Amino acid sequence: QAISGTHYIQNSPWMKYDDAKALIWTSIPAILIFDLFLPVGFILMCFKFRKVYGTPEVSMYFGSVFENFEKRCFWWELVGILKKLSIALVLRGIPSTNAIQSALVVTILAGIQMVQVTVHPWRRRVENFCDGVSSLILIGALLATRPGQLSNVNDVLWYIFALAIVFVVGVAVLIGWQAITGKPLY
């Protein structure tokens, strides 16, 4: 608060920053569970079931986690989770006024995109393509929302918005097309 000089938590304007310091230490166990133990547990589960995840018994329990990916890329769901987690941590941990925030997010998205183009983890080609396009739109939206980094920001925002609309409509058409003409994966 500029007038009084009191600092509040950004997502809870009623909570003072000094009061929230104690909550940081109570949130560390939850952060460790969700950000460390669950991904490590998922990696161990993937490693344990890597040779048998296509069997009916494992498919019944874990099929929805693995069924959209090629057999050699059964671990790709973890990459998606880590991508979202790392972007969330960068967006929350580094102020938006710092240019390194944009650079890190673009690096994360571009790095994972390069791996995806090399590996082609999704079973369907259209899913590999759409995942890449969505990353490019996200990069464009990120760069467009940084006013100091682009001139004509409003024009760029409308352009990114139009690209996103075209992408969403295109994906809806592809889903309809796959539902009508596509063959099931099972």
Side-chain angles (χ1 to χ4, degrees), residues 64-75:
S64 61
V65 175
F66 302 119
E67 69 186 7
N68 293 327
F69 307 111
E70 293 287 341
K71 288 187 178 190
R72 60 183 167 62
C73 297
F74 62 90
W75 44 268

Side-chain angles (χ1 to χ4, degrees), residues 87 91 96 101-103 105-106 109 132-165 167-168:
I87 289 173
L91 291 176
S96 61
Q101 184 195 57
S102 299
V105 171
V106 169
L109 290 171
V133 170
S134 68
S135 289
L136 290 175
I137 289 174
L138 186 57
I139 289 171
L142 174 76
L143 294 177
T145 57
R146 303 297 185 229
Q149 297 174 356
L150 294 172
S151 58
N152 301 327
V153 174
N154 286 333
D155 296 339
V156 174
L157 283 174
W158 280 109
Y159 175 71
I160 296 298
F161 179 72
L163 283 177
I165 293 296
F167 177 68
V168 168

Side-chain angles (χ1 to χ4, degrees), residues 37-103:
F37 295 134
L38 288 179
V40 168
F42 184 75
I43 290 171
L44 292 174
M45 182 189 78
C46 287
F47 184 75
K48 180 178 179 182
F49 295 112
R50 71 186 183 284
K51 296 193 191 280
V52 295
Y53 79 89
T55 63
E57 296 84 17
V58 175
S59 276
M60 186 168 70
Y61 294 106
F62 303 112
S64 61
V65 175
F66 302 119
E67 69 186 7
N68 293 327
F69 307 111
E70 293 287 341
K71 288 187 178 190
R72 60 183 167 62
C73 297
F74 62 90
W75 44 268
W76 192 256
E77 184 68 29
L78 182 64
V79 172
I81 291 168
L82 292 175
K83 174 176 80 171
K84 293 171 190 170
L85 174 65
S86 60
I87 289 173
L89 290 174
V90 166
L91 291 176
R92 193 67 184 147
I94 299 174
S96 61
T97 56
N98 193 340
I100 195 72
Q101 184 195 57
S102 299

